[in-house]
Each structure stands twice: as structure tokens, then as C-alpha cells.
Amino acid sequence: TYFIAATGDTNLVAGVSHCAPIFTMLMAFGNIFGQGGTSLISRMLGQKDHAGVRHVSAFCFYAAIICGALVGVIMLVFSGPLLNILGANSDTFQHAFNYYIVLAIGAPFTVASFIPSNLLRAEGLSKESMIGSISGAVLNIILDPILISVCGMGSMGAAVATVAGYI
């Protein structure tokens, strides 16, 4: 938001803000499988059921990718109506659409990105999970000004930086 606001374009800020509920939805889908899997895996680790842990980990990962892909397809098919419901108007629609389209294409990766961080914590590897999360945030911070302003990509650049950070 900082780098988007630094452009001074209020329509750009508003367009990206229209997509905040979509991004929150992607995070929610990721956490369904990430946190749900974490709960089950923690119990399985306590029972020394390592085969079960591998099975649940794989299920969570693939289910998140499939769910993200389905959500992404739905987002692509209904992009216009969804952006209108979210409040995009003639001044903000293009900025919102540019951000939204990258979120839709990146949905499988964004949703799946929540799996490793949650599952690593379940296995007692919170430091590794933290390193992954911080690395993604730092990448986003580095890419944002480059893609938004230097490359002139605006809202699409912000979305590419965000999705890249989650990948």
C-alpha cells in the first residue's frame, strides 16, 4: 500500500483496495488447508504416525492447489461482475482489473503458499516457517517499487510483486 500510495494516484489506490477482499478470500482458502492440516498433523506426530503425516501433508498441498485453481477460474469468468460488486467504477475499474487478473492467475500459488508455513510450524520448524514468510515479504518490498514505478506497471506490478512474494 505504501508504494501504491507513493504514486499519488488515488484511483490506483482505490482500485487495488477493491481487491483486498479477494486477497483475504485467497488467504482464507489457504488457511483452511494449512491450519486444518496442521491440527491433524500435530496429533499424528504425537502418535508417531509418520505415514499419515505424509499423506495429510500431500493432501493439503494438492487440495490447496486444486482449490486455488478453481477459485482462480471462477474469478476469471466473473471478473467484471465481481469487481462491480466490490465497488469498482469507471475511474478505478482498470486499476482494480489489472490487480485482480494477476490475483486470479496466481490464486493456486497464493492458496498453496499457506500450506508449507503452517505445516512447518506443526512439525516444530517455526524458525524455517518464519524465514519463508519474511523472505516473501522482503521480496514483495523489493519488487513493489521496481514494478509499480520503475517499470510503470502500476497496480499490475503491485499484484505481481505480491504473488511472487507468496510463491
Side-chain angles (χ1 to χ4, degrees):
T1 304
Y2 172 81
F3 295 109
I4 294 167
T7 66
D9 185 346
T10 57
N11 289 324
L12 175 61
V13 174
V16 171
S17 296
H18 291 312
C19 295
I22 298 294
F23 193 75
T24 302
M25 177 190 66
L26 294 176
M27 292 183 349
F29 279 117
N31 280 320
I32 286 171
F33 298 105
Q35 292 176 355
T38 298
S39 172
L40 184 54
I41 286 172
S42 293
R43 288 180 272 146
M44 291 177 143
L45 285 171
Q47 297 168 351
K48 309 282 190 227
D49 181 2
H50 299 290
V53 168
R54 284 190 297 277
H55 177 74
V56 171
S57 295
F59 173 82
C60 289
F61 181 73
Y62 291 116
I65 289 175
I66 292 167
C67 177
L70 291 173
V71 168
V73 167
I74 291 167
M75 287 173 64
L76 290 171
V77 170
F78 297 104
S79 60
L82 285 173
L83 286 171
N84 287 326
I85 288 170
L86 293 170
N89 60 32
S90 61
D91 295 329
T92 62
F93 188 88
Q94 193 59 51
H95 296 300
F97 181 79
N98 291 343
Y99 194 89
Y100 177 95
I101 200 75
V102 174
L103 285 184
I105 293 167
F109 306 107
T110 302
V111 173
S113 73
F114 287 86
I115 306 309
S117 61
N118 280 296
L119 298 184
L120 284 171
R121 283 194 298 271
E123 296 175 14
L125 302 171
S126 58
K127 181 173 123 183
E128 289 79 357
S129 175
M130 178 191 66
I131 290 169
S133 296
I134 290 173
S135 299
V138 168
L139 179 63
N140 190 351
I141 291 168
I142 292 169
L143 289 178
D144 264 336
I146 294 168
L147 297 177
I148 293 169
S149 298
V150 175
C151 294
M153 293 176 68
S155 60
M156 186 175 282
V160 169
T162 298
V163 171
Y166 276 93
I167 291 172

